[in-house]
Amino acid sequence: MGKIIALANQKGGVGKTTTTINLAASLAVLEKKVLVVDADPQANASSGLGIDIRNIKLSIYECLINGEDAQSAISPTEVEGLDIIPSHIDLVGAEIEMLNLEDREKILKKVLTPLKDKYDYLLIDCSPSLGLITVNALTAADSVIIPVQCEYFALEGISKLLNTIKIIKSKLNPQLEIEGFLITMYDSRLRVANQIYEEVKRPFQDLVFTTVIQRNIKLVEASSHGKPVLLYDAESKGAVNHIQLAQELIEKNK
């Protein structure tokens, strides 16, 4: 039975999509069967995995709103063992359309549950908001990875997200756990980076991944080429960090 992990933080620019793409590719390289679910209307995870978002016939939007079978919306990627349910700009309006639907917080859960037997990991890339789609993602997920950018104000907004997680646990998904806080955009040359790492580690202790994702231009370049960094430059720091993260995640879930 696969594990559904949401990657969430309502603060934008923390590396959520970059982490989703590259963690998924790394898990696939380590011989896990992986599905990325792009739940962000910007569809960056889709284009970052080489999907031409102008020519998508079925996306997560049709699964949520029209009840389309999720299996039909799955596209393969360049990485063997890694598939994606792409997103579409239509998803922007989905929150309003979902308001009148029954059990509106649990629609994504119904969409993804039949796929859990087919994959080891299902990673949901959430949009930078705490709207209804993100609530759906957290309700569908077994756990959540929270990427935290290594900069001042990094912890700003985390309390809001933790509060949302607490509410979802008490009302919609009692099984939801925090998989871990992931420090992203880390630059070891900066004293502030080490201070922030300590600042996150202090309250959250073992919930902080040992692996940190260092600042690496190859990660940005790879996304703009529609590839995970492993296919773009397997020797780069970005590729190595994400393989380490994938190994840590697999180890944690043994």
Side-chain angles (χ1 to χ4, degrees):
M1 181 69 98
K3 184 170 195 180
I4 300 179
I5 303 176
L7 285 94
N9 189 334
Q10 78 277 16
K11 196 172 187 295
V14 296
K16 261 192 313 290
T17 302
T18 304
T19 302
T20 306
I21 292 169
N22 291 297
L23 172 57
S26 300
L27 287 165
V29 165
L30 295 171
E31 301 185 338
K32 299 294 176 187
K33 194 102 182 59
V34 188
L35 177 70
V36 167
V37 180
D38 191 348
D40 184 348
Q42 294 176 74
N44 291 336
S46 305
S47 49
L49 282 171
I51 303 294
D52 181 353
I53 53 179
R54 292 161 305 184
N55 294 324
I56 294 169
K57 294 205 167 43
L58 278 182
S59 70
I60 192 68
Y61 171 82
E62 285 79 17
C63 300
L64 293 170
I65 303 300
N66 305 336
E68 292 284 354
D69 177 27
Q71 190 65 51
S72 321
I74 293 172
S75 296
T77 70
E78 262 189 278
V79 181
E80 197 180 332
L82 172 57
D83 296 334
I84 183 168
I85 297 180
S87 182
H88 193 276
I89 190 67
D90 288 353
L91 201 58
V92 167
E95 304 218 339
I96 295 162
E97 294 175 71
M98 287 163 80
L99 286 176
N100 300 321
L101 299 178
E102 200 182 328
D103 266 351
R104 61 189 180 201
E105 295 91 356
K106 296 182 179 172
I107 299 169
L108 186 58
K109 189 182 177 81
K110 287 189 192 115
V111 168
L112 296 183
T113 300
L115 301 176
K116 282 183 91 168
D117 290 339
K118 298 182 170 63
Y119 294 94
D120 298 306
Y121 292 96
L122 300 88
L123 304 184
I124 309 174
D125 185 31
C126 298
S127 68
S129 79
L130 291 177
L132 188 51
I133 306 270
T134 300
V135 168
N136 261 267
L138 294 171
T139 304
D142 299 301
S143 68
V144 55
I145 290 176
I146 303 168
V148 181
Q149 187 180 354
C150 210
E151 56 150 47
Y152 277 125
F153 312 121
L155 294 176
E156 203 179 75
I158 284 185
S159 57
K160 204 178 274 185
L161 176 62
L162 293 178
N163 199 36
T164 303
I165 290 170
K166 202 164 131 193
I167 292 165
I168 285 168
K169 266 189 85 133
S170 67
K171 295 195 162 44
L172 295 163
N173 182 5
Q175 277 74 47
L176 183 65
E177 295 297 333
I178 292 175
E179 190 73 46
F181 292 85
L182 174 69
I183 302 289
T184 62
M185 304 181 196
Y186 180 82
D187 187 341
S188 56
R189 295 167 304 177
L190 301 177
R191 192 190 311 157
V192 65
N194 299 307
Q195 286 171 345
I196 285 155
Y197 182 75
E198 291 308 320
E199 208 177 298
V200 176
K201 192 92 178 143
R202 206 174 304 123
F204 302 118
Q205 302 290 325
D206 295 345
L207 283 177
V208 181
F209 282 102
T210 308
T211 306
V212 296
I213 308 299
Q214 291 163 288
R215 265 193 194 282
N216 185 232
I217 190 66
K218 299 290 183 190
L219 285 170
V220 181
E221 288 173 7
S223 293
S224 68
H225 284 83
K227 292 176 186 294
V229 72
L230 272 169
L231 294 185
Y232 182 74
D233 184 349
E235 306 286 303
S236 67
K237 226 177 251 179
V240 173
N241 287 166
H242 283 95
I243 285 283
Q244 287 167 337
L245 177 63
Q247 286 166 332
E248 191 175 343
L249 184 66
I250 291 166
E251 197 55 42
K252 220 175 176 187
N253 284 286
K254 271 186 177 167

